[in-house]
Structures are given as C-alpha cells and as structure tokens.
Amino acid sequence: MRMRKFGNSGLFVSELSFGAMTFGGTEGLWGKVGKLGQDEADALIEVALDAGINLFDTANIYADGRSEEILGRSLKNLGVARDDVVIATKVFGSMGEGPNRQGASRRHILAECRASMKRLGMDHIDLYQLHGFDPLTPIQETLEAFDTLVRAGDVRYIGVSNWAAWQIMKSIGIADSRHLAPITSLQAYYSLVGRELEREIVPLLTSERVGLMVWSPLAGGYLTGKYSSGGNHEGGRQTELDFPPIDRVRGEQLIPVLQSVAEKHGQSPAQVAIAWLLKQPLVSTVLIGAKRVEQLKENIKATEIILDDADILALDSVSRLPIEYPGWLLGRASRHPS
C-alpha cells in the first residue's frame, strides 16, 4: 500500500482508505446501506490494517452515530495504537430534533465534535469534515468554529465534503485572509461513470493544492458490471438504493470497455475502476467500503494493477465528459507567448 501526501499538508495517508458507512445500520436508509455489527466490523478493519490502510472515515450521521462507536471499538479490540491511524469523521446532518441540531453553525460544530470524540473513544479527530454546504450560516462562522477546534487540539485538519467549486474557493479566501485553519481536503464523488468533478472542481483543487478523497469509486456497485444491460442483482446496493445517480446510457457504453481492460489484466471490472482513479494525479486517497471480507480483499488488490497508456485511452474515450461552455472556448481564447 503506497502512501500519498494529503493535499498541501504534511500528513501522509494510504492510497486506499476505509469507509465505515456500512457499520451499525438497522432500519430505513442506514439499514439499506449496511447492517454490520461489531464482529463483522472487526474482521473488516483487521483486513484493512493488514493491507496497510491507515485512514478510516466515518460520520456522525452514519447509523445515528453507531458507525463511529463501532469503528472506535474495533480499533481498541484490535489493539491499534492511536498514532498509527488517521481518523476522519464528518458533521452537518441532523442529529436530533430542532433547527440547531444540524448545519454548520458554531454551536452545532463544537457540540458534535465532542460527541463524535466520545463515540469514537478518542481525545482528538485527525480530519474533521463539513458534510455539506449550509446556505443559512455565514462561512466565516463555520471556519472560525473549525479553527477553534484546531487551536484547542481537538482536531488536526479540516476538510469539506460535497461542495461546489465556488464554495470551496470562497472558504479558502476567507481562511487565508483571517489566518484561520486552512481547508486541507475535499471528499467528493468521482468515478469512471461520474466525472463531473473534472469541470470546475478538479482545476480548483489542483490550483489550490487541496487533497481529494474519493467516495463511491464503483458508483454504488454499478462499475462491477452486474447492473448493466438492465441487470438487477438481487441483494445488491443499486437494487435497494439507487445512489449515486448514474447516466446509464453513457454507462452502458463504458461497461464493455471496462470488462475488456479487466480481462486483459486478469482482474475484475471493479478493481480496474479503482485502479483508474489511483492513476489520477489529484487523488489523495480512494475510500472503499465493504460488507464482506472477500469483497474488501478484492478491492484492495486494485493497488496491484498497472494500467498502461492504451488502457487509460480506452477507458477515457468512452467515459470522458462532453465539452461544455466555456470549456470549448478556453483553448481558442487562451493567451500563448509567441
């Protein structure tokens, strides 16, 4: 498992990271995402650690906090030293009744950070991320709350998740001008069948040296190939939860090419889809989750695949985004020295 520099910070994280969203679900949405209990979580975490994964990601909203509890207990059960892992969690979603139990206000962030540390059983969080954008709270208030946590030693780095490019850039400007803790990372959806990030966000992150954590690299399982051509894999996540949304017209053109590249390397389409993301220069780490040990081990093997230029060209030709304005004009309007 290779290590990568995390954005513009001095932190190093494993190229694959483990997402604990499948832990602790019971009924409703989180039951569909995953119902893994403590023993199952321990087995998955042990495999991840043995493979060299050092970054583990969760959120306070996952299974109403049970994901954080299970993750923290797993690390204790396995005797993992706190300094040997990077723990990331998130805040934003509703954690109770009333308007002040959600969002990006100073009150909510400070209260939930301490609640997350208690559930995790830890005295600090390595990466604390805002799980969405709150249009009702001034960005300055949010950033100052995060800065308070960093200065207090409760948080080491801050990040955002699922933000638009202008929101990230505005935050960077405010943090820089007010000497607040900087935005270190963005956690965002990115996959071969979901490359919208490349229009505005990827150029921004490259310019500002912000790290990228990728979630749902297999597009909710679609890139395994089992849902293509109208497939309805019984018990699969896409069968129970159609998320993230997928352009299946474009996706159906991609799947045969993905399968062809996979056959060439003697690997699965899922492994190739992850390997493609690992070839993207901006990617700091790719989050993988699993419900079974065998599934996790298979995804980890993606780090062994070496895609050549022909593979990348073949995958890119059927998955690249159509050029939109002002993209088609930028090449003509750019200024080049004579």
Side-chain angles (χ1 to χ4, degrees):
M1 186 72 61
R2 291 171 288 268
M3 294 289 159
R4 299 187 177 192
K5 195 168 179 290
F6 196 54
N8 197 32
S9 75
L11 185 68
F12 283 84
V13 299
S14 49
E15 60 186 335
L16 293 183
S17 44
F18 185 88
M21 192 169 68
T22 56
F23 293 177
T26 54
E27 303 299 327
L29 171 64
W30 301 114
K32 293 179 181 179
V33 172
K35 299 181 179 181
L36 302 188
Q38 192 64 57
D39 291 343
E40 297 162 304
D42 289 358
L44 289 168
I45 296 295
E46 185 172 24
V47 169
L49 290 166
D50 288 344
I53 289 175
N54 76 340
L55 172 56
F56 295 85
D57 178 80
T58 182
N60 63 347
I61 199 174
Y62 294 167
D64 300 317
R66 289 185 295 277
S67 173
E68 290 180 323
E69 293 174 353
I70 292 173
L71 173 60
R73 197 171 299 122
S74 281
L75 295 171
K76 286 183 173 61
N77 291 346
L78 297 169
V80 179
R82 179 64 183 88
D83 288 342
D84 289 341
V85 290
V86 177
I87 302 301
T89 190
K90 298 181 283 292
V91 60
F92 178 74
S94 177
M95 293 299 290
E97 297 295 329
N100 292 317
R101 297 294 304 278
Q102 60 186 305
S105 70
R106 180 180 182 86
R107 170 176 168 163
H108 185 62
I109 288 171
L110 296 184
E112 284 304 315
C113 180
R114 285 158 179 76
S116 287
M117 287 193 293
K118 183 177 180 179
R119 285 190 290 266
L120 288 163
M122 298 176 182
D123 64 359
H124 71 275
I125 295 166
D126 294 300
L127 177 66
Y128 201 39
Q129 305 156 97
L130 193 60
H131 211 170
F133 184 77
D134 183 356
L136 302 180
T137 302
I139 292 178
Q140 177 185 334
E141 177 181 339
T142 300
L143 294 175
E144 288 178 345
F146 276 123
D147 187 70
T148 297
L149 293 171
V150 172
R151 293 179 185 276
D154 294 334
V155 168
R156 300 294 186 259
Y157 301 94
I158 63 173
V160 296
S161 180
N162 306 319
W163 278 31
W166 72 266
Q167 296 164 347
I168 301 169
M169 192 65 243
K170 185 173 182 178
S171 295
I172 290 173
I174 292 174
D176 184 59
S177 66
R178 296 180 178 273
H179 306 291
L180 303 174
I183 301 294
T184 300
S185 64
L186 168 72
Q187 186 174 149
Y189 169 56
Y190 189 27
S191 76
L192 269 168
V193 77
R195 297 177 61 174
E196 292 83 1
L197 210 68
E198 296 173 0
R199 295 200 190 279
E200 299 287 345
I201 295 177
V202 165
L204 166 65
L205 301 184
T206 301
S207 169
E208 303 304 314
R209 301 174 67 188
V210 175
L212 175 61
M213 298 176 66
V214 175
W215 61 261
S216 200
L218 302 181
Y222 180 79
L223 292 176
T224 63
K226 61 189 178 185
Y227 301 103
S228 63
S229 301
N232 188 27
H233 189 79
E234 185 177 354
R237 178 172 158 185
Q238 281 278 329
T239 305
E240 299 179 352
L241 183 64
D242 188 16
F243 182 83
I246 295 165
D247 182 343
R248 294 176 185 263
V249 174
R250 296 184 67 236
E252 289 300 311
Q253 301 173 39
L254 167 65
I255 294 299
V257 178
L258 183 61
Q259 291 171 333
S260 176
V261 174
E263 290 172 5
K264 170 184 169 181
H265 289 272
Q267 305 293 344
S268 71
Q271 290 167 326
V272 170
I274 294 171
W276 178 84
L277 281 167
L278 293 175
K279 287 281 286 186
Q280 307 310 305
L282 185 64
V283 172
S284 300
T285 186
V286 175
L287 279 162
I288 55 173
K291 295 181 180 179
R292 296 176 291 104
V293 165
E294 296 75 16
Q295 179 188 12
L296 179 59
K297 288 181 176 179
E298 178 182 342
N299 289 341
I300 288 172
K301 288 182 180 179
T303 60
E304 302 172 5
I305 301 174
I306 301 176
L307 298 177
D308 58 31
D309 291 344
D311 298 328
I312 296 297
L313 180 61
L315 293 169
D316 188 63
S317 65
V318 292
S319 67
R320 71 166 66 99
L321 297 170
I323 300 176
E324 293 182 348
Y325 177 83
W328 54 261
L329 187 61
L330 292 178
R332 298 185 181 188
S334 61
R335 182 170 177 262
H336 297 283
S338 57

